[in-house]
Amino acid sequence: MNTWAASAAKPLPTATSSGKRRLPQGRRSPAPRPALAGAALVVAGIGLGATTALTITAESVGQLTATGGLATFAGNLTGMVGTYLALLMVLLVSRIPFVEQVVGQDGLLRWHRRLAPWPISLLIAHAVLLVAGYAQAAQAGPWHEVNTLLFSYPDVLIATIGLGLMCLAGVISIRAIRRRVRREVWWAVHLGMYLALALSFAHVIVLGPSFVGHPLTRLVWSVAWAATAGVVLAYRVGLPVLRSFRYRLRVAEVRPEGQGVVSVICRGQHLDRLAVSGGQFFFWRFLTRDMWWQAHPYSLSALPQPPFIRLTVKGVGDHSAALAHLRPGTRVAIEGPYGIFTRHSQRCSRALLIAAGIGVTAVRALLEDLPRSARPVVLLRATRRADLVLGTEIADLVKRRGGQLHELTGSRMTASIDQYSLRHTVPDYKERDLYVCGPEAFVTGVVEVARSLGIPDEAIHHEAFAL
Amino acid sequence: MKRAPLLLFAGTAAGFIGILGFHSRQAPPTVAAPQAGSGASSASPSAAGRTPVGPVAGQGTVRTALGPEEQYGYGVLDVKVTQSGTRITDVSVPLLQTAEPTSQQISEQAIAMLRAEVLSAQSARIDAISGATYTSAAYIQSLQAAIDKLPAR
């Protein structure tokens, strides 16, 4: 067994110092239940269908054929469907455990990114179409009608402010802009999305043709919104706070691993009750004066060995670089664990693990969690030998599981992972699950190679990290 | 989650059909049943095009009665009815407040049509104006209460 926890325990007199080699083991995260996530998806679909139908049934032929009626109807429809989709976008990032365990935080974010332009576009269309429709009906110019809508209709002004906030969040998430903006700014703007949705709520209920005079529809809609708010609060705030208080993590030791990489070892209570699988990550919030307000995702670099838990971080951003200067005793709050880069995703009995750079941390923890039958082949890639951190731990784990370790060092040109090298080093790649972890570009590249080799998507599992 | 799009689509279809089915099972919102054989009222806007029966002068005393204020989804209104002898000679809406201009516009149009219907039906048993269901309901409610205040004809 690895000894990282044992040596961390040395300066702490209360740690188990008995000569027994039996290291305490924590619990593993529960197996995912795809049926539950499927049911959630069906419910989301029912809501979408019902929202669309409600808008249509609120309309009469007379209204539709009246001047501006068509634009007004289209405006109502885009508004209702857009609002409903916006609600779904919030739910996608609310980290509902039984959904997250199936799709993974990574997968949920991908869906969120792919779908989020829809509600924003629909809501912009909603505003434009209703201005056009109302202007036609009132025989007024569009600018005059904008003025009328904003200042004489109840709750439209604040809803417009909400739409503005929503557009801002959309714009800042466009890839080219996102890269130029600090993570904290992007996060704060995204937080404004909750405010935007809250601001828009009133005008929907007060003016929406599907709600005026329909107390039941009003009630159901309000309950759905309250439930969404409840889910967000429970899983994004409540559960993390509860877990942080329960495990009471404090930094025990910051250990250099070489080349700007440090391991942060935290000590906590009840860690034997913390259900986490190898390859999962937490959002870590180190409660120092400068860092308490930001939470960053880092994988565990080993399974917990109660009362210790370890993450290994490379100092590439402001936050990760600051971790090297953490003082022992610093309190740590956690959100998680998240991720499906775990043994639960295994489809074959054997596994091939590929990691680049600091992606080695997740692979290291996963390796520890894989059954012996996995006979893991591990491929580590780095530009220089010195960048291969946790090398001895991995070599040890691979040896105990009867696997093979290949280290590829050199520039991207000389030490690349391509069809040829993969076939050559891992001849039985078709009977293995492929786990890839590393920088986004690396992961994309390897996944492409794997697909071209005919490895099915179900057997490819990846976790990419961005700065 | 390869079946994700399928599940989502199935759910959407179920929700859509469910609401439509529920909606069509419910009776359309009839406010007051049209009098059989009266033939005077029609739900279509063409009702406004009919020649309204004008106020008939003479024949007894002129009385007015004001119905209660009726709140409806988009605003509030009350109805005043004028009766000369046994005939309803005028109906008006002294109070009409709506949430916003479009509702005001819709209500005003509907009220003109409703007035024509009342004058020809000579009662509150008239059809609602389509596209102004709530205004019609409030109007008829207040009108009936106003008529009830008048001595029986």
Side-chain angles (χ1 to χ4, degrees):
Chain A
M1 257 303 163
N2 289 284
T3 53
W4 61 268
S7 65
K10 230 184 285 169
L12 300 155
T14 47
T16 47
S17 52
S18 61
K20 284 179 203 160
R21 289 292 293 149
R22 197 173 58 90
L23 287 164
Q25 284 293 312
R27 293 200 303 153
R28 294 296 158 265
S29 62
R33 282 166 295 179
L36 267 182
L41 206 58
V42 171
V43 170
I46 288 175
L48 180 61
T51 307
T52 315
L54 277 175
T55 318
I56 291 170
T57 54
E59 200 70 17
S60 69
V61 179
Q63 279 167 300
L64 206 56
T65 49
T67 318
L70 207 60
T72 306
F73 171 66
N76 287 335
L77 191 63
T78 49
M80 287 289 284
V81 174
T83 311
Y84 181 75
L85 288 182
L87 213 60
L88 282 190
M89 291 309 104
V90 169
L91 282 173
L92 269 182
V93 292
S94 65
R95 305 175 187 168
I96 304 168
F98 68 84
V99 177
E100 200 278 333
Q101 282 155 15
V102 174
V103 190
Q105 177 70 6
D106 207 39
L108 286 172
L109 281 182
R110 220 169 20 237
W111 279 48
H112 177 87
R113 265 198 296 263
R114 199 178 298 165
L115 295 177
W118 280 96
I120 295 179
S121 317
L122 284 172
L123 290 174
I124 292 171
H126 159 72
V128 171
L129 284 165
L130 279 185
V131 166
Y134 279 31
Q136 276 176 33
Q139 290 170 344
W143 293 116
H144 179 261
E145 196 55 36
V146 166
N147 197 51
T148 315
L149 273 163
L150 284 182
F151 299 108
S152 54
Y153 282 58
D155 305 316
V156 170
L157 183 63
I158 55 166
T160 309
I161 295 170
L163 182 61
L165 284 174
M166 215 173 260
C167 291
L168 192 65
V171 166
I172 208 167
S173 300
I174 295 171
R175 226 163 232 276
I177 299 172
R178 168 72 185 89
R179 267 193 296 243
R180 287 177 174 78
V181 174
R182 285 171 63 91
R183 186 188 149 86
E184 292 75 35
V185 175
W186 169 85
W187 182 80
V189 168
H190 254 71
L191 213 57
M193 203 59 122
Y194 295 116
L195 181 65
L197 285 173
L199 289 179
S200 75
F201 180 76
H203 94 288
V204 179
I205 284 283
V206 172
L207 297 171
S210 310
F211 298 107
V212 174
H214 295 274
L216 183 66
T217 321
R218 257 185 192 176
L219 182 73
V220 171
W221 186 261
S222 308
V223 167
W225 278 63
T228 304
V231 164
V232 170
L233 282 175
Y235 295 129
R236 295 210 61 161
V237 183
L239 194 63
V241 166
L242 209 70
R243 285 204 171 130
S244 297
F245 271 107
R246 182 154 193 223
Y247 300 120
R248 295 189 179 279
L249 293 178
R250 280 172 183 275
V251 174
E253 188 189 337
V254 178
R255 189 185 304 169
E257 303 277 2
Q259 293 297 323
V261 177
V262 292
S263 280
V264 179
I265 297 165
C266 301
R267 185 192 169 87
Q269 292 173 4
H270 312 298
L271 281 180
D272 52 326
R273 311 271 316 168
L274 172 65
V276 57
S277 291
Q280 287 194 302
F281 65 92
F282 290 86
F283 286 89
W284 302 84
R285 195 182 290 277
F286 296 94
L287 305 180
T288 66
R289 196 176 295 167
D290 313 322
M291 287 198 282
W292 65 270
W293 52 277
Q294 40 182 333
H296 285 243
Y298 299 117
S299 297
L300 286 189
S301 60
L303 288 178
Q305 290 182 10
F308 298 106
I309 191 168
R310 184 182 79 173
L311 62 151
T312 303
V313 177
K314 185 172 182 169
V316 277
D318 299 345
H319 188 263
S320 48
L323 295 190
H325 308 293
L326 279 174
R327 294 238 173 90
T330 304
R331 284 178 189 278
V332 186
I334 50 168
E335 297 166 39
Y338 302 119
I340 51 167
F341 193 72
T342 64
R343 68 194 173 109
H344 291 308
S345 306
Q346 248 187 305
R347 292 287 171 277
C348 318
S349 61
R350 297 182 173 196
L352 163 62
L353 280 57
I354 303 180
I358 199 65
V360 72
T361 54
V363 160
R364 152 73 180 79
L366 173 64
L367 192 57
E368 194 177 350
D369 209 7
L370 283 178
R372 291 183 66 90
S373 58
R375 305 240 157 222
V377 173
V378 179
L379 268 165
L380 302 182
R381 212 211 83 85
T383 313
R384 291 163 299 175
R385 253 203 94 70
D387 290 337
L388 288 169
V389 291
L390 307 177
T392 47
E393 287 184 17
I394 288 180
D396 186 39
L397 287 166
V398 168
K399 205 168 83 187
R400 281 166 188 280
R401 281 161 179 74
Q404 295 168 37
L405 173 63
H406 299 277
E407 294 180 349
L408 277 163
T409 51
S411 71
R412 264 171 224 182
M413 302 302 291
T414 56
S416 70
I417 292 171
D418 52 27
Q419 280 198 20
Y420 174 79
S421 68
L422 212 55
R423 249 197 313 238
H424 186 72
T425 30
V426 198
D428 61 345
Y429 64 87
K430 278 205 168 151
E431 286 119 60
R432 289 177 181 271
D433 275 282
L434 170 64
Y435 288 88
V436 199
C437 186
E440 219 162 349
F442 173 81
V443 169
T444 320
V446 172
V447 169
E448 255 168 43
V449 169
R451 283 200 182 126
S452 69
L453 280 173
I455 299 179
D457 280 353
E458 296 84 27
I460 304 176
H461 321 290
H462 48 87
E463 193 85 272
F465 52 82
L467 298 187
Chain B
M1 294 298 281
K2 260 193 167 170
R3 291 170 306 151
L6 188 72
L7 289 173
L8 193 66
F9 182 75
T12 308
F16 189 78
I17 292 164
I19 290 288
L20 284 189
F22 182 73
H23 184 261
S24 61
R25 274 217 346 245
Q26 277 187 324
T30 45
V31 181
Q35 215 172 12
S38 78
S41 55
S42 154
S44 74
S46 67
R50 266 199 326 274
T51 330
V53 178
V56 179
Q59 292 187 14
T61 48
V62 176
R63 293 188 182 86
T64 61
L66 184 65
E69 289 177 12
E70 291 293 332
Q71 294 273 354
Y72 63 105
Y74 293 98
V76 59
L77 58 75
D78 62 8
V79 178
K80 193 168 93 173
V81 61
T82 308
Q83 184 179 291
S84 179
T86 57
R87 283 196 71 77
I88 294 174
T89 52
D90 193 21
V91 262
S92 63
V93 176
L95 170 77
L96 174 65
Q97 262 175 13
T98 56
E100 22 72 30
T102 300
S103 290
Q104 183 84 22
Q105 217 176 343
I106 293 171
S107 296
E108 277 168 6
Q109 282 173 16
I111 285 165
M113 296 178 197
L114 288 163
R115 178 175 181 274
E117 283 192 50
V118 174
L119 291 179
S120 80
Q122 284 295 309
S123 76
R125 284 186 290 271
I126 52 169
D127 275 352
I129 304 297
S130 79
T133 316
Y134 301 111
T135 309
S136 305
Y139 184 93
I140 290 166
Q141 198 83 27
S142 185
L143 171 67
Q144 184 64 60
I147 290 175
D148 290 346
K149 284 184 188 169
L150 294 168
R153 289 178 282 149

